[in-house]
Structure formats: C-alpha cells, structure tokens
Amino acid sequence: MALPDTGPGRGWLLRLVIAFSFAQGAVSMARPAVSYRALALGADARAVGVIAGVYALLPLFAAVPLGRRTDHGRCAPLLPAGVALIAAGCALSGTAGSLAAVAAWSGVMGLGHLCFVIGAQSIVARQSGPAEQDRNFGHFTIGASFGQLVGPVAAGFLVSEQSGRMGPTSATALLVAAAVAGVSVTSLWRIEHRTGRRGRTPGEAAAARVPVHRILRTRGVPAGIFTSLAVLSATDILTAYLPVIGEHRGIAPATIGVLLSLRAAATIACRLVMTPMIRLVGRTALLAGSCLLAALLCGSIAVPLPVPVLAGVLAALGFCLGVGQPLSMTTVVQAAPAGSRSTALALRLTGNRLGQVAAPAGAGLLAGIAGTAAPFVTLGLLLLVSAAAAARPGGPAPPPPAPDADPGPQREPAGRTAPGPGREAASRGEPRPGSAGSDRTV
C-alpha cells in the first residue's frame, strides 16, 4: 500500500480550507434563506422540513458512486464541479416561484456540496499520514465552521422580516450566496499532489473493489457513520429550524443569524484546541462525552429560553458538536479497508445525507403535530444513542490466535501414504501432528 502523500508543506491544506470556507459559507447562507423563501411562498413548518430534506435527497444516491470513482482516480475535479452546482442551486432557488421549484434547486445545491466534500475529504485522507489525520481533518473542518459562522449572519441581515419583503430579500440572499460560492474557485489550484503517485498493485486494486457491505461491517465504520449522522442532523436542523423557532418566539432574523454564527464560532474554537483535548482525555472519551453533553443542550432548546440564555446554550452546543465530524472522519478512514477510504468516506456522507433527509422530514412532521420545539427533543435522543455508540465504537477485539506448540514446519517422511494418527486427528477436526499452523483458521 502506498504511503500517504503529505506533499511539500501544508499550503494545499490552507488553500483547501479557504475554498471550503467560501463553499460552505454559500451553503450556510442559502439554507436559512431557502427556509425564509419557502415561508414567503406560503410554506408551513412541515413544508420547510420537507424542503430541507430534499437538499439531501440527490446526494443520498450519488455518494457511493462518487466515492468509488474517487478511489480509482483523482479527487480534485470534483471540487469545481461541486462549486458550479452549489452556485446554480443557490441562484435558481432565489428565482423559483413555487415550493416544488425551491425544493428541486435546493437538491441541486445539496448535490454540489456533496461533490465538493467528497473530493476535499478524500484529498485530506490521501495526503495526510496517520499521525496527521486528526489535526488535518480538524483544520479542514474549520473551513466549514467559518462558512457556517459568516453565512447565517449575512442571510439574517439581507432577509427582511417586514410584511411583503421576505420574498424579494430572501431571493437576494440566495443570489449573493451563488456569488460567494463562485469565489471558492480562486483557491482551487495545486490542491492535489501528483508527486509520488503510482499505479496500483494487484492487491490494492482488489482492495479498491471491496464490496460496500464488507466496508459497513468493518469494525469502527458503523459507529463513525452513526456519530457523524447524529451530529450533522443536529447542525442541520439547527440551521433549518431556528428561523422557525425565531418566528414563533418573536426573534428577528438578524438575531437568529447571529445565534447561528455564535454556534459556528464555538465550533471553530473547539477544532482549534482539538489536538490538546485528545491528548488530555483520549479520542473515545472526548467523542462520547461531547455527544452526551450535546444531547442535553439540544433538548434544552425546546424550552422558551431568553435570548441571552439561548445564546449561551448554542455556544456550548456548537463547541460540543465541533468534535463529532473530524473525529468521525478519522475513525472511518483508519478503519476502512486499504484502497477503499474514499468509498468509506462516501458511505459516511451517505449516512449524513440519510440523516438530512429523514431528520428534517421527521422534524417537520413532529413540528406539525407537537410544536416547533419537538424536533430538538428528538435530536437530543439521537445524540444520546450516538454517545453510546461512540463509547464502544467497535466492540471487543477478537482474541489473538493461540500460538503454535510446534517450533516450525516439519516434513513428513517420504513415502508415507497409509492412514495414520495424523489423518485420524484431521478427521476429528484436530491438528495433524507435525503440521505447523494447522490450528489457525482463515
């Protein structure tokens, strides 16, 4: 297996973080703007949940094929393709005149985000050594957090809550988001190194064809996928449903934008100190503990808190949610079979998108039945389950095979053909005398 290509310096990582900041900033600006656009077109809480779910519908089916393609070739071409789809989805959502059109173009935006993220995560996995992965994935996700910090604030200030103004101002916010996405292309140069690349050996080529079901059964992969799903579902519903909470509780869109950005700022702070926290408490304890605390904080949003208290809750929640994504990436990459890391990351993203389809749609249903606070209680329960999965990610390790009693292979005497004790022992499932390694199973 080829060693990871760490390349000359880490300039590629800085450029990737900058590009991801603009791409994620555009998406984070567009998501609440899409919700406000839908509200202006007459959507209720249930319809907002369905539209938020459609954002993840196309990526749900495209993630694994894109991951397979990336395992067999270059990652970098996915980045500009993703930017183009994000920009198109944002712009066309802003000009859409019906809820169905808003939902469809939101799905295109989600597909673009998926393309960009699969390509970018695969580059980080491919060009980072095992000891660098926690740090590099943490720094990479700072780009996402920075975009999530700036995007909602920009959307909040562009969207007006005045009667009759929410429709045109939300359209303006979506067109601005499309322009922001386009800026990310300026940093997409010399991201992927070609030095040190070589053809696959037959063993690596076979590993790249590992079936999906085998990857999903690999120890550590399911826990990493589920933790990522829960954390991203919490972030996604916060972004999509905090505007609905704000409307019901009389909180202005600009204030909601600041609250969402406060959560993102806390996530950035978390990822800046990720490495010291891992050294202090260990990866498993950090991941499980952060999910547990996030569950309690998520449930507290269901209570009608004053805005300053809600700000504190969201800041603490953002810090806790900042742990899950980078550590789940590292967990999945290190657990995946050789040559299938991009596919494993794509499966993780498929889990994310499944959560993004089911969680907002379920949230919309719960909001329609039990009120707008109900989705946050459900998220708290989901994060509790993810804390349990993170605490025991792979189950007990299989016991090592018993050592052979024989010092080494021994040759049978020539010409020995008659049945003897060895063949009788073999018929009983016992090791043959004089055959080293015969008590191992493959």
Side-chain angles (χ1 to χ4, degrees), residues 89-113:
C90 291
L92 293 170
S93 294
T95 58
S98 68
L99 292 178
V102 170
W105 293 120
S106 178
V108 171
M109 178 173 60
L111 181 61
H113 188 257

Side-chain angles (χ1 to χ4, degrees), residues 227-304:
T227 301
S228 179
L229 181 155
V231 169
L232 187 65
S233 294
T235 304
D236 205 56
I237 287 183
L238 273 175
T239 303
Y241 264 82
L242 210 58
V244 181
I245 288 278
E247 189 186 25
H248 279 261
R249 298 182 187 175
I251 304 173
T255 305
I256 291 295
V258 170
L259 290 174
L260 287 172
S261 294
L262 181 63
R263 186 221 41 97
T267 299
I268 291 176
C270 168
R271 288 167 180 171
L272 288 172
V273 296
M274 181 81 68
T275 303
M277 287 194 299
I278 292 173
R279 290 198 197 105
L280 184 64
V281 300
R283 178 186 294 164
T284 300
L286 180 61
L287 190 54
S290 65
C291 288
L292 177 60
L293 185 54
L296 301 176
L297 292 167
C298 231
S300 71
I301 298 176
V303 181

Side-chain angles (χ1 to χ4, degrees), residues 251 255 259 262 304-316:
I251 304 173
T255 305
L259 290 174
L262 181 63
L305 302 170
V307 171
V309 178
L310 182 60
V313 167
L314 287 172

Side-chain angles (χ1 to χ4, degrees), residues 21-410:
S21 298
F22 282 103
Q24 184 65 54
V27 171
S28 298
M29 185 177 178
R31 298 300 303 284
V34 164
S35 295
Y36 285 122
R37 178 78 175 160
L39 291 170
L41 291 172
D44 56 10
R46 189 175 306 178
V48 170
V50 171
I51 290 171
V54 172
Y55 167 83
L57 190 59
L58 286 176
L60 186 63
F61 299 102
V64 172
L66 285 173
R68 289 290 195 197
R69 176 228 169 266
T70 307
D71 273 326
H72 287 83
R74 297 181 60 216
C75 312
L78 285 177
L79 304 184
V83 170
L85 289 171
I86 291 171
C90 291
L92 293 170
S93 294
T95 58
S98 68
L99 292 178
V102 170
W105 293 120
S106 178
V108 171
M109 178 173 60
L111 181 61
H113 188 257
L114 174 81
C115 290
F116 190 99
V117 171
I118 284 183
Q121 288 183 6
S122 298
I123 287 172
V124 176
R126 187 174 289 177
Q127 297 182 178
S128 303
E132 301 172 323
Q133 285 175 350
D134 282 329
R135 181 197 65 193
N136 286 358
F137 275 124
H139 289 173
F140 166 71
T141 52
I142 286 175
S145 300
F146 187 77
Q148 290 166 354
L149 185 153
V150 175
V153 169
F157 281 108
L158 286 172
V159 178
S160 173
E161 61 180 333
Q162 295 178 4
S163 177
R165 295 291 299 158
M166 187 175 288
T169 55
S170 61
T172 299
L174 286 164
L175 292 174
V176 171
V180 170
V183 176
S184 63
V185 177
T186 61
S187 295
L188 296 179
W189 51 277
R190 296 181 64 187
I191 294 281
E192 185 175 21
H193 300 141
R194 301 192 186 191
T195 58
R197 301 284 293 161
R198 59 173 175 82
R200 294 176 185 266
T201 65
E204 290 172 340
R209 295 189 295 270
V210 175
V212 167
H213 66 88
R214 281 187 56 195
I215 299 174
L216 288 173
R217 290 206 307 263
T218 302
R219 180 182 178 182
V221 171
I225 290 174
F226 186 79
T227 301
S228 179
L229 181 155
V231 169
L232 187 65
S233 294
T235 304
D236 205 56
I237 287 183
L238 273 175
T239 303
Y241 264 82
L242 210 58
V244 181
I245 288 278
E247 189 186 25
H248 279 261
R249 298 182 187 175
I251 304 173
T255 305
I256 291 295
V258 170
L259 290 174
L260 287 172
S261 294
L262 181 63
R263 186 221 41 97
T267 299
I268 291 176
C270 168
R271 288 167 180 171
L272 288 172
V273 296
M274 181 81 68
T275 303
M277 287 194 299
I278 292 173
R279 290 198 197 105
L280 184 64
V281 300
R283 178 186 294 164
T284 300
L286 180 61
L287 190 54
S290 65
C291 288
L292 177 60
L293 185 54
L296 301 176
L297 292 167
C298 231
S300 71
I301 298 176
V303 181
L305 302 170
V307 171
V309 178
L310 182 60
V313 167
L314 287 172
L317 180 58
F319 193 90
C320 293
L321 293 177
V323 172
Q325 294 291 16
L327 291 194
S328 68
M329 290 179 202
T330 305
T331 299
V332 168
V333 164
Q334 293 184 352
S340 297
R341 291 183 297 181
S342 293
T343 304
L345 285 169
L347 287 169
R348 173 185 166 276
L349 289 170
T350 301
N352 288 353
R353 294 307 186 260
L354 181 62
Q356 287 181 303
V357 169
L365 182 62
L366 285 172
I369 295 172
T372 55
F376 296 99
V377 176
T378 306
L379 278 179
L381 295 175
L382 184 65
L383 286 166
L384 278 177
V385 176
S386 72
R392 192 169 180 267
D404 285 322
D406 296 331
Q410 299 176 9

